[in-house]
């Protein structure tokens, strides 16, 4: 389209300024204008291979005509006969490059042996040959770059298609196998690893027969023979060995009851003999196995995500506790080796370090005590005054190791003049750690999680947000709703709450609302409410 527009722009200027164009110039302008009907044909028909063949052939004919007008085989444009071959490589048909190569050969022979016409250009300077070859190299390089780009897109499409096929295979409930007349089994798709515990090799042998229980092998061979000779499908249950163990290895093999279906592969109207046709094996789990697996996976997303975060936090806290107790042991050894405990002595200093290390270990253990997402067995809230900056520091310490592994940075910005919050310290730490850990887990590498404290409408607000350094993407709360609901329940038990705010240009932020009422007023209100026999509100 661009070349046609340029031709329509150049032709009137040439007629006005330089007069009638030369025959070679007319050929070039005609080739540029011919791209418009070619593009129209391609847009209406969609036949890309034919359009590529016509385009490369038209370009070869144009170059050959220019060569006839500028010196034949000694023309500066003779090297451009190689360009149509590169352009023909874009076609997916193998006949197109062959036909274009044959056409270029015929045109080269015509340029060499046909008489040169009388209306030619005057001899061109030597620099024209260099410019023509350089332009041909640049044009061929651009076409080669396009070819490499097409190959990369094709490879990416194949990888994406293979990943989708594997995802569909894993989501299917049956394993599909193709049984050759010679006995070899080839897996077509399905959750093979989940069903058998390993990936059987696609070799020429019948690997399924090797995994069948000895008592089930005669039944399998009988059903296989019946299907091959009669063509009627067969369904039966068999015990199949699962796991990576091979026959003859020491230990007790594990067997699983599976259902096997054997039927002919292909359409019903296939005229090939039944004995020569391939068989299709469908292996599925029995109803008992399916019901047990469904019972295992019946847990809600909230329980699975919160359980995973709890396990990660407990592992992190366990490492800190082990480190603290190791310090205690080291300082105890130093105390025992000295033998005295006078003030200012090394033994007294070691005893002080021992006490500090013990306190650090107890604080780490208390910070993660009962980090389990079980609200039914939760005790009554224990209200107390909580220093928000100290609470943020403790929670950041617990999540720092997880953030470092994922390449996420945590920044805390809490004002020092914040009033103390009145809440259950354990529930507040749990809610804050769960939300902070989930935001770290759902953020990409290079992201920065900011935690700040501020005074809101009669209470304290802890704001958590995510920003990505490498892109404009922001954190989304869609995948974190189970954890946010769990944290909201924890905060509501202590008179607080949780909300998600969306700011234009900054994405979503999680806001934890913590009350700042005094402990005495809160407890008095509870006592009076209990004496009046009225229900106690869950939130203020």
């Amino acid at each position: 389209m661009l070349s046609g527009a340029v031709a329509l722009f150049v032709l009137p200027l040439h007629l006005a300024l330089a007069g009638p164009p030369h025959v070679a110039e007319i050929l070039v302008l005609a080739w540029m204008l011919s791209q418009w009907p070619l593009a129209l044909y391609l847009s209406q028909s969609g036949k890309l291979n034919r359009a590529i063949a016509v385009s490369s052939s038209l370009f070869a004919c144009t170059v050959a005509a220019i060569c006839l007008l500028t010196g034949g085989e000694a023309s500066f444009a003779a090297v451009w006969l190689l360009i149509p071959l590169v352009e023909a490589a874009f076609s997916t048909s193998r006949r197109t490059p062959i036909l274009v190569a044959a056409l270029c050969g015929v045109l080269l022979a015509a340029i060499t042996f046909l008489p040169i016409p009388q209306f030619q250009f005057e001899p061109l300077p030597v620099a024209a040959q260099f410019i023509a070859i350089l332009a041909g190299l640049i044009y061929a390089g651009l076409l080669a770059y396009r070819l490499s780009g097409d190959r990369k897109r094709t490879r990416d499409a194949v990888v994406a298609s293979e990943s989708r096929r594997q995802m569909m295979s894993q989501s299917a409930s049956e394993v599909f196998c193709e049984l050759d007349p010679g006995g070899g089994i080839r897996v077509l798709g399905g959750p093979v690893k989940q069903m058998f515990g390993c990936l059987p090799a696609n070799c020429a042998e019948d690997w399924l027969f090797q995994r069948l229980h000895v008592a089930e092998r005669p039944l399998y061979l009988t059903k296989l023979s019946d299907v091959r000779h009669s063509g009627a499908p067969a369904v039966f249950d068999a015990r199949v060995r699962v796991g990576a163990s091979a026959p003859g290895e020491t230990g007790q093999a594990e067997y699983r009851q599976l259902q096997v279906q054997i039927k002919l592969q292909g359409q019903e109207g296939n005229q090939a003999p039944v004995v020569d046709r391939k068989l299709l094996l469908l292996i599925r789990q029995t109803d008992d196995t399916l019901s047990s697996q469904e019972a295992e996976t019946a847990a809600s997303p909230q329980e699975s995500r919160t359980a995973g975060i709890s396990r990660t936090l407990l592992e992190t806290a366990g490492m800190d506790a082990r480190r603290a107790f190791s310090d205690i042991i080291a300082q105890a050894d130093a105390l025992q080796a000295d033998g005295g405990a006078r003030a200012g002595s090394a033994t007294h200093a070691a005893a002080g370090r021992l006490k500090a290390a013990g306190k650090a270990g107890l604080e780490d253990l208390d910070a993660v005590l009962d980090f389990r997402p079980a609200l039914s067995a939760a005790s009554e809230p224990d209200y107390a005054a909580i220093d928000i900056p100290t609470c943020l520091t403790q929670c950041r310490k617990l999540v720092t190791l997880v953030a470092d592994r994922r390449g996420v940075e945590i920044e805390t910005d809490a004002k020092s003049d914040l009033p103390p919050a009145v809440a259950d310290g354990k529930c507040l730490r749990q809610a804050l750690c769960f939300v902070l850990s989930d935001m770290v887990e759902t953020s990409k590498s290079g992201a920065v999680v900011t935690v700040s404290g501020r005074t809101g409408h009669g209470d304290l607000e802890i704001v958590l947000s995510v920003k990505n350094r490498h892109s404009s993407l922001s954190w989304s709360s869609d995948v974190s709703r189970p954890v946010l609901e769990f944290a909201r329940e924890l905060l509501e038990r202590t008179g607080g709450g949780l909300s998600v705010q969306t700011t234009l240009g900054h994405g979503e932020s999680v806001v934890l609302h913590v009350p700042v009422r005094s402990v005495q007023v809160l407890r008095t209100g509870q006592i009076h409410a209990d004496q009046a026999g009225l229900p106690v509100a869950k939130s203020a």
Side-chain angles (χ1 to χ4, degrees), residues 21 27 119 125 148 251 306 314 318 481 502 515:
L27 286 174
F119 42 93
S148 63
T306 52
L314 288 175
R481 294 192 182 278
T502 303

Side-chain angles (χ1 to χ4, degrees), residues 79-229:
V79 69
W80 281 75
L81 282 177
L82 296 174
I83 302 299
L85 299 178
V86 182
E87 185 180 358
F90 287 97
S91 175
T92 57
S93 174
R94 291 179 296 179
R95 293 186 302 174
T96 301
I98 297 175
L99 295 177
V100 174
L103 176 62
C104 291
V106 172
L107 293 175
L108 179 61
I111 294 171
T112 305
F113 299 107
L114 287 179
I116 300 176
Q118 298 298 327
F119 42 93
Q120 295 189 38
F121 280 112
E122 296 180 359
L124 298 176
V126 181
Q129 188 78 12
F130 172 77
I131 295 176
I133 295 176
L134 180 61
L137 290 177
I138 294 175
Y139 192 72
L142 292 176
L143 292 179
Y145 179 78
R146 281 192 55 194
L147 283 173
S148 63
D150 287 350
R151 289 190 59 188
K152 183 180 182 301
R153 284 191 294 269
T154 303
R155 183 170 60 252
D156 295 342
V158 171
V159 172
S161 177
E162 181 65 20
S163 63
R164 286 194 298 268
R165 188 193 67 82
Q166 292 181 359
M167 181 178 63
M168 293 176 62
S169 297
Q170 296 302 324
S171 60
S173 59
E174 300 176 347
V175 174
F176 300 89
C177 303
E178 186 180 44
L179 181 61
D180 297 332
I185 291 183
R186 181 171 64 256
V187 178
L188 300 179
V192 182
K193 188 173 182 180
Q194 286 79 357
M195 190 174 295
F196 294 99
C198 65
L199 293 175
N202 288 328
C203 51
E205 64 178 358
D206 189 351
W207 56 266
L208 181 61
F209 183 80
Q210 302 295 333
R211 289 187 168 271
L212 285 173
H213 194 273
V214 178
E216 310 289 352
R217 294 180 180 180
L219 176 63
Y220 170 74
L221 295 177
T222 302
K223 296 293 184 180
L224 188 62
S225 178
D226 294 341
V227 174
R228 279 180 173 171
H229 288 85

Side-chain angles (χ1 to χ4, degrees), residues 409-457:
E409 185 179 350
I410 302 176
E411 294 181 354
T412 56
D413 183 16
K415 299 179 180 179
S416 58
D417 57 348
L418 292 177
V422 179
D424 189 338
K426 182 190 300 183
C427 292
L428 180 59
R429 286 193 299 269
Q430 285 182 358
L432 183 57
C433 285
F434 274 117
V435 176
L436 185 59
S437 300
D438 187 78
M439 294 181 77
V440 169
E441 291 288 345
T442 53
S443 300
K444 296 182 179 179
S445 176
V448 180
V449 180
T450 59
V451 185
S452 60
R454 66 190 184 189
T455 55
H457 301 285

